[in-house]
Amino acid sequence: ETEREPLVVVQTSDLHFNYVNEADFEEANPSIMATYNGRAWNKNGSSVPNAVRSLEFASQGDAIVVTGDVLDYMSWGAIELTDKYIWDTYPNAMVTLGNHEITRRCQDNPATPDPTTLESRQEILQDNWDHDIFYESKVIDDRLMLIQLDNSNSCFWESQVEPFEADLALAREKGYDVFLFYHIPLATGNSKDTDIYPIMRRDGYNYDFYNNYIGNPKTSGASKTVYDIIVNNGDIIKGTFCGHKHTWYYTEILAKTASGEATVIPQVVIAGTPYDGGHALKIIVK
């Protein structure tokens, strides 16, 4: 059998495009204006150079995945930067939503509640995304399936269940390995994981990956359904990748194979691009 070339998938995360443009000032949405007044971190597009550097690095691979918080908050300016630096430049990128995309409020000064619904904000995001915001999959070189699952609202959705099950059935039939990408980490199901050290000690703090996040003992509804699908397909789901924490962690989600044998699924949490010179994770599949 001819040895196949390695596949390279590169993940970036948490770009935090913080920018307010003329359209925002003309619209003068009170929540956006209050956030513009109060939110200094990465203001006026200052996170762009690191994001561009990280995305350029990512473009050397076979696929680019950005695991959420591309927008620092949902302004037209941030969407403009996303169009310019992601969709117009890397139209095949897979980009999950994060918790920052779905809000117009972030350190808003004065505190200014947004009267619009989450659903209306999701509609705006969908209109400005190049693929479905809740669920997207692609197969690379007839051997690796990439799946992005939206959990930006700290939940999974009923609409994700059917396509997820269908894709995993296809992956099993065809012999594909599967990588999952989402924004907010999952609980590991391991009661020992209450005090996980960050990889870069200077950056983060110990965190409880058992009692927090989807998959903790209190998880219910569609979130539990999707989580259970993940942990019961540990033989074909070879890795999960996310961001949100702004630093690096490594955990292992307790899982089972199709035949019920115990296994684990690696979960890598990566740092955001605004830090240092930018961050990215290069995943090599041999």
Coordinates of all heavy atoms in Angstrom, one line a residue, residues 62-114:
D62 N -4.0 21.8 5.2 CA -5.1 21.3 4.3 C -6.5 21.9 4.7 O -7.4 21.8 4.0 CB -5.2 19.8 4.3 CG -3.9 19.2 3.8 OD1 -3.7 19.3 2.6 OD2 -3.1 18.6 4.6
A63 N -6.6 22.4 6.0 CA -7.8 23.0 6.4 C -7.5 24.0 7.6 O -6.6 23.8 8.4 CB -8.8 21.9 6.9
I64 N -8.3 25.0 7.6 CA -8.3 26.0 8.7 C -9.6 25.9 9.5 O -10.7 25.9 8.9 CB -8.2 27.4 8.1 CG1 -6.9 27.6 7.3 CG2 -8.2 28.5 9.3 CD1 -6.8 29.0 6.6
V65 N -9.5 25.8 10.8 CA -10.6 25.9 11.7 C -10.4 27.0 12.7 O -9.3 27.0 13.4 CB -10.9 24.5 12.4 CG1 -12.2 24.6 13.1 CG2 -10.9 23.4 11.3
V66 N -11.4 27.8 12.9 CA -11.3 28.9 13.9 C -12.4 28.6 14.9 O -13.6 28.6 14.6 CB -11.5 30.3 13.3 CG1 -11.3 31.4 14.4 CG2 -10.6 30.5 12.1
T67 N -12.0 28.4 16.2 CA -13.0 27.9 17.2 C -13.6 29.0 18.0 O -13.5 29.0 19.3 CB -12.4 26.8 18.1 OG1 -11.1 27.2 18.5 CG2 -12.2 25.5 17.3
G68 N -14.2 30.0 17.3 CA -15.0 30.9 18.0 C -14.4 32.2 18.6 O -13.1 32.3 18.6
D69 N -15.2 33.1 19.0 CA -14.9 34.5 19.4 C -14.0 35.2 18.4 O -13.0 35.8 18.7 CB -14.2 34.4 20.8 CG -15.1 34.2 21.9 OD1 -16.4 34.1 21.7 OD2 -14.7 34.2 23.1
V70 N -14.4 35.0 17.1 CA -13.8 35.9 16.1 C -14.2 37.3 16.3 O -13.3 38.2 16.2 CB -14.2 35.4 14.7 CG1 -13.7 36.3 13.6 CG2 -13.8 34.0 14.4
L71 N -15.4 37.5 16.6 CA -15.9 38.9 17.0 C -15.7 39.1 18.5 O -15.9 38.1 19.3 CB -17.4 39.0 16.7 CG -17.9 38.6 15.4 CD1 -19.4 39.0 15.2 CD2 -17.2 39.1 14.2
D72 N -15.3 40.2 18.9 CA -15.2 40.5 20.3 C -16.6 40.8 20.8 O -17.0 40.5 22.0 CB -14.3 41.7 20.5 CG -14.0 41.9 22.0 OD1 -13.5 41.0 22.7 OD2 -14.2 43.1 22.5
Y73 N -17.4 41.5 20.0 CA -18.9 41.6 20.2 C -19.5 41.9 18.9 O -18.8 42.2 17.9 CB -19.2 42.7 21.2 CG -18.7 44.1 21.0 CD1 -19.4 45.1 20.4 CD2 -17.4 44.4 21.3 CE1 -18.9 46.3 20.2 CE2 -16.8 45.7 21.1 CZ -17.6 46.6 20.6 OH -17.1 47.9 20.3
M74 N -20.8 41.7 18.7 CA -21.4 41.7 17.4 C -21.7 43.1 16.9 O -22.8 43.6 17.1 CB -22.8 40.9 17.5 CG -23.2 40.5 16.1 SD -24.8 39.6 16.1 CE -25.9 41.0 16.3
S75 N -20.7 43.7 16.3 CA -20.8 45.0 15.7 C -20.6 44.8 14.2 O -20.0 43.8 13.7 CB -19.7 45.9 16.2 OG -18.4 45.5 15.9
W76 N -21.1 45.7 13.4 CA -20.9 45.7 12.0 C -19.4 45.8 11.6 O -18.9 45.2 10.7 CB -21.7 46.8 11.3 CG -23.2 46.6 11.4 CD1 -24.0 47.5 12.0 CD2 -23.9 45.5 11.0 NE1 -25.3 47.0 12.0 CE2 -25.3 45.8 11.3 CE3 -23.7 44.3 10.3 CZ2 -26.3 44.9 11.1 CZ3 -24.7 43.4 10.0 CH2 -26.0 43.7 10.4
G77 N -18.7 46.5 12.5 CA -17.2 46.7 12.3 C -16.5 45.4 12.4 O -15.6 45.0 11.6
A78 N -16.9 44.6 13.4 CA -16.2 43.3 13.7 C -16.6 42.3 12.5 O -15.8 41.5 12.1 CB -16.7 42.7 15.0
I79 N -17.8 42.4 12.0 CA -18.2 41.6 10.9 C -17.5 42.0 9.7 O -17.1 41.1 8.9 CB -19.8 41.7 10.7 CG1 -20.5 41.0 11.9 CG2 -20.2 41.1 9.4 CD1 -22.0 41.2 11.9
E80 N -17.2 43.3 9.5 CA -16.4 43.8 8.4 C -15.0 43.2 8.4 O -14.5 42.7 7.4 CB -16.3 45.3 8.4 CG -15.4 45.9 7.3 CD -15.1 47.4 7.6 OE1 -15.9 48.1 8.2 OE2 -14.0 47.8 7.2
L81 N -14.4 43.1 9.5 CA -13.1 42.6 9.7 C -13.1 41.1 9.4 O -12.1 40.5 8.8 CB -12.5 42.9 11.0 CG -12.2 44.3 11.4 CD1 -11.6 44.4 12.8 CD2 -11.3 45.0 10.3
T82 N -14.1 40.4 9.8 CA -14.3 39.0 9.6 C -14.4 38.7 8.1 O -13.8 37.7 7.6 CB -15.5 38.4 10.4 OG1 -15.3 38.7 11.7 CG2 -15.6 36.9 10.2
D83 N -15.2 39.5 7.4 CA -15.3 39.3 6.0 C -13.9 39.5 5.3 O -13.5 38.7 4.5 CB -16.2 40.4 5.4 CG -17.7 40.0 5.6 OD1 -18.0 38.8 5.9 OD2 -18.5 40.9 5.6
K84 N -13.2 40.5 5.7 CA -11.9 40.9 5.0 C -10.9 39.8 5.3 O -10.1 39.4 4.4 CB -11.5 42.3 5.5 CG -10.2 42.7 4.9 CD -9.8 44.1 5.3 CE -8.5 44.6 4.7 NZ -8.2 46.0 5.1
Y85 N -10.7 39.4 6.6 CA -9.6 38.6 6.9 C -9.8 37.1 7.0 O -8.9 36.3 7.0 CB -9.0 39.1 8.3 CG -8.4 40.5 8.2 CD1 -9.1 41.6 8.8 CD2 -7.3 40.7 7.5 CE1 -8.5 42.9 8.7 CE2 -6.8 42.0 7.3 CZ -7.4 43.1 8.0 OH -6.9 44.3 7.8
I86 N -11.1 36.8 7.0 CA -11.4 35.3 6.9 C -12.2 35.0 5.6 O -11.6 34.3 4.7 CB -12.2 34.9 8.2 CG1 -11.4 35.1 9.4 CG2 -12.6 33.4 8.0 CD1 -12.0 34.6 10.7
W87 N -13.4 35.4 5.5 CA -14.2 34.9 4.4 C -13.7 35.3 3.0 O -13.7 34.4 2.1 CB -15.7 35.3 4.5 CG -16.3 34.9 5.8 CD1 -16.9 35.8 6.7 CD2 -16.4 33.6 6.4 NE1 -17.4 35.0 7.8 CE2 -17.1 33.7 7.6 CE3 -16.0 32.4 6.0 CZ2 -17.4 32.6 8.4 CZ3 -16.3 31.3 6.8 CH2 -17.0 31.4 8.0
D88 N -13.2 36.5 2.9 CA -12.7 36.9 1.6 C -11.3 36.3 1.3 O -10.9 36.2 0.1 CB -12.5 38.5 1.5 CG -13.9 39.2 1.5 OD1 -14.9 38.5 1.4 OD2 -13.9 40.4 1.7
T89 N -10.6 36.0 2.3 CA -9.2 35.5 2.1 C -9.1 33.9 2.2 O -8.4 33.3 1.5 CB -8.3 36.1 3.2 OG1 -8.5 37.5 3.3 CG2 -6.8 35.8 2.9
Y90 N -9.9 33.3 3.1 CA -9.9 31.9 3.3 C -11.4 31.4 3.3 O -11.9 31.0 4.3 CB -9.3 31.5 4.7 CG -7.9 32.2 4.8 CD1 -7.7 33.2 5.8 CD2 -6.8 31.8 4.1 CE1 -6.4 33.8 5.9 CE2 -5.6 32.3 4.2 CZ -5.4 33.4 5.1 OH -4.2 33.9 5.3
P91 N -12.0 31.4 2.1 CA -13.4 31.1 2.0 C -13.8 29.7 2.4 O -14.9 29.4 2.8 CB -13.7 31.3 0.5 CG -12.4 31.2 -0.2 CD -11.4 31.7 0.8
N92 N -12.8 28.8 2.5 CA -13.1 27.4 2.9 C -12.8 27.2 4.4 O -12.9 26.0 4.9 CB -12.2 26.4 2.1 CG -12.6 26.4 0.6 OD1 -13.7 26.5 0.3 ND2 -11.6 26.4 -0.2
A93 N -12.5 28.2 5.1 CA -12.3 28.1 6.6 C -13.6 27.6 7.2 O -14.7 27.9 6.8 CB -11.9 29.4 7.2
M94 N -13.4 26.8 8.3 CA -14.6 26.4 9.2 C -14.5 27.3 10.4 O -13.4 27.3 11.1 CB -14.4 24.9 9.5 CG -15.6 24.4 10.2 SD -15.4 22.6 10.5 CE -15.9 21.9 8.9
V95 N -15.5 28.0 10.7 CA -15.5 29.0 11.8 C -16.7 28.8 12.8 O -17.8 29.0 12.4 CB -15.5 30.4 11.3 CG1 -15.3 31.4 12.4 CG2 -14.4 30.6 10.2
T96 N -16.4 28.3 14.0 CA -17.5 28.1 15.0 C -17.8 29.5 15.6 O -17.0 30.4 15.6 CB -17.1 27.2 16.1 OG1 -16.1 27.8 16.9 CG2 -16.5 25.9 15.5
L97 N -19.0 29.6 16.1 CA -19.4 30.8 16.9 C -18.8 30.6 18.4 O -18.7 29.5 18.9 CB -20.9 30.9 17.0 CG -21.7 31.2 15.8 CD1 -23.1 31.6 16.1 CD2 -21.0 32.4 15.0
G98 N -18.5 31.7 19.0 CA -18.2 31.7 20.4 C -19.2 32.5 21.2 O -20.1 33.1 20.6
N99 N -19.1 32.6 22.5 CA -20.0 33.4 23.3 C -20.0 34.9 23.0 O -20.9 35.6 23.3 CB -19.8 33.1 24.8 CG -18.3 33.4 25.2 OD1 -17.4 32.7 24.7 ND2 -18.1 34.3 26.1
H100 N -18.9 35.4 22.4 CA -18.8 36.8 22.2 C -19.5 37.2 20.9 O -20.1 38.3 20.8 CB -17.3 37.3 22.1 CG -16.7 37.5 23.4 ND1 -16.4 38.7 23.9 CD2 -16.3 36.6 24.3 CE1 -15.9 38.6 25.1 NE2 -15.7 37.3 25.4
E101 N -19.6 36.3 19.9 CA -20.3 36.6 18.7 C -21.8 36.9 19.0 O -22.4 37.7 18.3 CB -20.3 35.4 17.7 CG -19.1 35.5 16.8 CD -17.9 34.7 17.3 OE1 -18.0 34.2 18.5 OE2 -16.9 34.7 16.7
I102 N -22.4 36.2 19.9 CA -23.8 36.3 20.1 C -24.3 37.4 21.0 O -25.4 37.4 21.4 CB -24.4 34.9 20.6 CG1 -23.8 34.5 21.9 CG2 -24.2 33.9 19.5 CD1 -24.4 33.2 22.5
T103 N -23.4 38.3 21.4 CA -23.8 39.4 22.3 C -23.3 40.7 21.7 O -22.3 40.8 21.0 CB -23.2 39.2 23.7 OG1 -23.7 40.2 24.6 CG2 -21.7 39.2 23.7
R104 N -24.0 41.8 22.0 CA -23.5 43.1 21.7 C -22.9 43.8 23.0 O -22.5 44.9 22.9 CB -24.7 44.0 21.2 CG -25.2 43.5 19.9 CD -26.3 44.5 19.3 NE -26.7 44.2 18.0 CZ -27.9 43.5 17.8 NH1 -28.7 43.2 18.8 NH2 -28.2 43.2 16.5
R105 N -23.0 43.1 24.1 CA -22.6 43.7 25.4 C -21.3 43.0 25.9 O -21.2 41.8 26.0 CB -23.7 43.4 26.4 CG -25.0 44.0 26.1 CD -26.0 43.8 27.2 NE -25.6 44.5 28.4 CZ -26.1 44.4 29.6 NH1 -27.1 43.5 29.8 NH2 -25.7 45.0 30.7
C106 N -20.3 43.9 26.2 CA -19.1 43.4 26.8 C -18.4 44.6 27.5 O -18.0 45.5 26.9 CB -18.2 42.9 25.7 SG -16.8 42.0 26.4
Q107 N -18.5 44.6 28.9 CA -18.0 45.7 29.6 C -18.7 47.0 29.2 O -18.1 48.1 29.2 CB -16.5 45.9 29.5 CG -15.7 44.7 30.1 CD -14.2 44.9 29.9 OE1 -13.7 45.2 28.8 NE2 -13.5 44.7 31.0
D108 N -20.0 46.9 28.9 CA -20.7 48.1 28.4 C -20.8 49.1 29.5 O -21.1 48.9 30.7 CB -22.1 47.7 27.9 CG -22.9 46.8 28.9 OD1 -22.2 46.0 29.6 OD2 -24.1 46.8 28.9
N109 N -20.6 50.4 29.1 CA -20.5 51.5 30.0 C -21.3 52.7 29.4 O -20.7 53.3 28.5 CB -19.1 51.9 30.4 CG -19.0 53.0 31.4 OD1 -20.0 53.2 32.2 ND2 -17.9 53.7 31.5
P110 N -22.4 53.1 29.9 CA -23.2 52.4 31.0 C -23.8 51.1 30.7 O -23.9 50.8 29.5 CB -24.3 53.5 31.4 CG -24.5 54.1 30.0 CD -23.2 54.2 29.3
A111 N -24.1 50.3 31.6 CA -24.7 49.0 31.4 C -26.0 49.2 30.6 O -26.9 50.0 31.0 CB -25.1 48.3 32.7
T112 N -26.1 48.6 29.4 CA -27.2 48.9 28.5 C -27.7 47.6 27.9 O -27.2 47.1 26.9 CB -26.7 49.8 27.3 OG1 -26.0 50.9 27.9 CG2 -27.8 50.2 26.4
P113 N -28.7 47.0 28.5 CA -29.3 45.7 28.0 C -29.7 45.8 26.6 O -30.3 46.8 26.1 CB -30.5 45.5 29.0 CG -30.1 46.2 30.2 CD -29.4 47.4 29.8
D114 N -29.4 44.7 25.8 CA -29.9 44.6 24.4 C -31.3 44.0 24.4 O -31.5 42.9 24.9 CB -28.9 43.7 23.7 CG -29.1 43.6 22.2 OD1 -30.2 44.0 21.8 OD2 -28.2 43.2 21.5

